[in-house]
């Protein structure tokens, strides 16, 4: 009896194994080509391309890395800063591949993985726009597949690029960036600053008035009380490794030159002072998604307003802060993926 049962058990196991093998073999015929890099010119580098950028000061290389293959949905990611890195977007790896959306990491000139000419004459909006256009051409992105995503400074750059080259874009995503630096400064001064503990706000303001930005106490207060509320809405010990790594790779030279020292606005003679294209938003006709966070350094209501000013806009407000791709990842990626697929399927509607 035991022998018979043992024989039946082994036979059933073999049968199940054969059935499982059939399933695997059948599935192979339908395997997606999303992760297939064979016969591509960047296979040996794992999707990495160093793209030459022509500038008035010579030719320099910028670092890009393609993730996946999709001829209809290709997202170029513009990081913040200026002087940040693509690393802030590394958790896109946890969401986009399952949706088979191709995306391209890109470190702008003078950022960590790209060449660093360290020439301030290249640190302009005009040159940054031209740089994006050269990258677009090198990667064969066009109006049939090109989605441009920009966050913070990258959002400013994406808006400026779209105002000049929107005929090349299939969809535009602006995350955590207002269309007006003066309005951003007003929001920081009138809303966010006063939300700090009064004694903390007073001490920060005193150091800013004296331009004592190098004071370790200034960094301590801003990091503990402002960053944990409005940059990433989490205690510092819960910040993920990839975000901390990106901050450690920030280029302070270009950041200070264009943004300045303060987190409450553009300081001194920083070149982004006074930037404002709010009255030009109505020139944007490409489908556009505006993403803001309830705890963001940028006014979420202003971000919603921006979606009504472009010709084909949609708004997404998360429960996160400036880096809402992490502190409210589910809402962020659900809304972002839906926008990309709606545009791709021809189902885009405003909200």
């Amino acid at each position: 009896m035991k022998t018979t049962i043992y024989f039946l058990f082994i036979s059933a196991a073999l049968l199940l194994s054969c059935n499982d093998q059939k399933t695997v073999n059948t599935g192979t015929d339908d395997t997606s080509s999303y992760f297939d890099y064979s016969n591509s010119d960047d296979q040996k580098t794992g999707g990495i391309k160093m793209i030459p950028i022509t500038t008035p000061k010579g030719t320099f290389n910028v670092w890009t890395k393609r993730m996946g293959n999709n001829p209809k949905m290709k997202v170029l990611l513009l990081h913040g800063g200026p002087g940040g890195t693509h690393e802030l977007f590394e958790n896109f790896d946890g969401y986009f591949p399952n949706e088979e959306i191709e995306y391209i990491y890109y470190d702008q000139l003078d950022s960590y993985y790209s060449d660093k000419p360290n020439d301030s004459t290249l640190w302009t909006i005009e040159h940054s726009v031209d740089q994006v256009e050269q990258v677009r051409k090198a990667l064969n992105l066009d109006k049939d597949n090109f989605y441009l995503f920009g966050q913070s400074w990258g959002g400013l750059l994406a808006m400026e690029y779209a105002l000049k080259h929107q005929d090349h874009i299939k969809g535009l995503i602006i995350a955590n960036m207002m269309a007006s630096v003066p309005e951003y400064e007003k929001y920081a001064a009138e809303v966010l600053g006063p939300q700090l503990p009064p004694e903390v706000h007073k001490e920060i303001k005193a150091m800013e008035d004296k331009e004592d930005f190098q004071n370790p106490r200034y960094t301590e207060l801003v990091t503990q009380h402002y960053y944990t509320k409005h940059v990433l809405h989490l205690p510092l010990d819960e910040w993920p490794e990839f975000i901390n790594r990106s901050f450690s790779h920030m280029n302070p030279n270009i950041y200070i030159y264009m943004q300045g020292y303060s987190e409450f606005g553009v300081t001194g003679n920083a070149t982004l002072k006074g930037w404002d294209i709010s009255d030009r938003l109505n020139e944007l006709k490409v489908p556009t998604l505006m993403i803001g966070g309830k705890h963001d350094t940028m006014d979420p209501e202003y971000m919603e307003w921006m979606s009504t000013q472009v010709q084909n806009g949609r708004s997404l407000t998360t429960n996160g802060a400036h880096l809402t791709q992490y502190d409210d990842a589910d809402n962020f990626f659900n809304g972002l993926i839906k926008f990309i697929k709606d545009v791709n399927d021809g189902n885009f509607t405003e909200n």
Side-chain angles (χ1 to χ4, degrees):
M1 181 69 176
K2 289 181 179 179
T3 302
T4 303
I5 293 174
Y6 180 76
F7 175 77
L8 290 172
F9 176 78
I10 293 297
S11 298
L14 288 171
L15 180 60
L16 288 172
S17 175
C18 290
N19 287 339
D20 286 346
Q21 187 64 41
K22 286 180 181 179
T23 301
V24 171
N25 288 339
T26 301
T28 301
D29 296 333
D30 298 325
T31 298
S32 168
S33 61
Y34 180 75
F35 288 113
D36 183 7
Y37 284 69
S38 60
N39 300 316
S40 62
D41 58 359
D42 57 5
Q43 181 179 18
K44 291 183 179 180
T45 62
I48 294 174
K49 282 186 178 181
M50 298 299 290
I51 296 176
I53 300 296
T54 302
T55 79
K57 296 303 179 76
T59 299
F60 305 97
N61 293 317
V62 295
W63 182 96
T64 67
K65 180 178 173 66
R66 173 175 63 93
M67 304 293 289
N69 302 280
N70 191 319
K72 293 297 183 183
M73 295 184 289
K74 300 174 182 286
V75 185
L76 180 65
L77 303 173
L78 302 184
H79 62 70
T85 76
H86 74 278
E87 293 159 308
L88 284 177
F89 300 136
E90 285 187 358
N91 71 326
F92 278 55
D93 294 357
Y95 295 86
F96 271 16
N98 190 55
E99 305 296 333
E100 299 200 341
I101 297 172
E102 180 180 329
Y103 54 112
I104 301 112
Y105 293 129
Y106 159 38
D107 262 29
Q108 299 156 34
L109 201 61
D110 270 300
S111 292
Y112 190 78
Y113 290 85
S114 295
D115 285 355
K116 302 172 188 65
N118 197 33
D119 187 329
S120 62
T121 64
L122 300 178
W123 299 344
T124 66
I125 292 173
E126 293 74 21
H127 174 262
S128 299
V129 167
D130 181 63
Q131 185 185 144
V132 174
E133 176 64 358
Q134 292 188 56
V135 169
R136 180 195 70 80
K137 290 178 179 178
L139 296 175
N140 297 314
L141 307 174
D142 59 40
K143 61 181 178 61
D144 295 322
N145 57 35
F146 178 29
Y147 293 81
L148 184 61
F149 175 100
Q151 184 176 53
S152 193
W153 149 254
L156 185 160
L157 178 55
M159 284 185 272
E160 288 279 4
Y161 177 88
L163 286 171
K164 187 173 182 179
H165 297 292
Q166 66 178 313
D167 289 345
H168 298 309
I169 302 175
K170 188 173 183 177
L172 177 67
I173 304 104
I174 308 300
N176 314 99
M177 185 64 217
M178 296 161 67
S180 168
V181 163
E183 288 296 322
Y184 150 58
E185 293 174 317
K186 180 180 178 183
Y187 182 68
E190 297 181 0
V191 178
L192 300 184
Q195 289 178 4
L196 294 167
E199 66 280 5
V200 171
H201 187 218
K202 181 179 179 180
E203 192 172 356
I204 288 174
K205 286 295 294 178
M207 284 185 280
E208 290 207 337
D209 290 343
K210 294 188 295 185
E211 298 187 356
D212 191 14
F213 298 108
Q214 303 300 325
N215 190 326
R217 177 64 174 166
Y218 179 82
T219 302
E220 176 188 353
L221 290 175
V222 169
T223 301
Q224 292 182 356
H225 295 278
Y226 192 74
Y227 275 33
T228 55
K229 295 292 190 296
H230 303 298
V231 175
L232 193 65
H233 196 63
L234 291 168
L236 287 173
D237 60 1
E238 295 181 23
W239 285 33
E241 183 275 338
F242 71 95
I243 286 178
N244 289 327
R245 172 163 36 90
S246 182
F247 276 113
S248 74
H249 290 162
M250 174 76 73
N251 183 337
N253 296 329
I254 184 172
Y255 183 87
I256 292 169
Y257 183 84
M258 299 185 75
Q259 161 77 23
Y261 292 93
S262 174
E263 295 300 328
F264 295 89
V266 177
T267 57
N269 295 321
T271 58
L272 294 180
K273 191 74 174 177
W275 177 85
D276 191 334
I277 54 101
S278 53
D279 62 350
R280 298 189 62 195
L281 289 172
N282 60 5
E283 298 176 30
L284 296 176
K285 58 187 178 182
V286 63
T288 302
L289 175 66
M290 303 292 185
I291 304 176
K294 291 181 180 178
H295 305 284
D296 198 351
T297 58
M298 303 291 166
D299 182 356
E301 292 185 4
Y302 186 95
M303 293 293 302
E304 291 181 10
W305 172 81
M306 287 168 60
S307 73
T308 69
Q309 300 306 294
V310 297
Q311 295 183 33
N312 295 287
R314 180 183 292 183
S315 176
L316 168 64
T317 301
T318 73
N319 293 313
H322 199 56
L323 301 179
T324 189
Q325 69 267 30
Y326 185 78
D327 58 17
D328 191 12
D330 287 345
N331 284 326
F332 174 86
F333 282 105
N334 286 341
L336 175 56
I337 289 166
K338 177 173 172 50
F339 169 79
I340 292 170
K341 290 196 168 183
D342 283 350
V343 174
N344 181 67
D345 296 339
N347 295 326
F348 174 77
T349 55
E350 301 177 35
N351 65 355

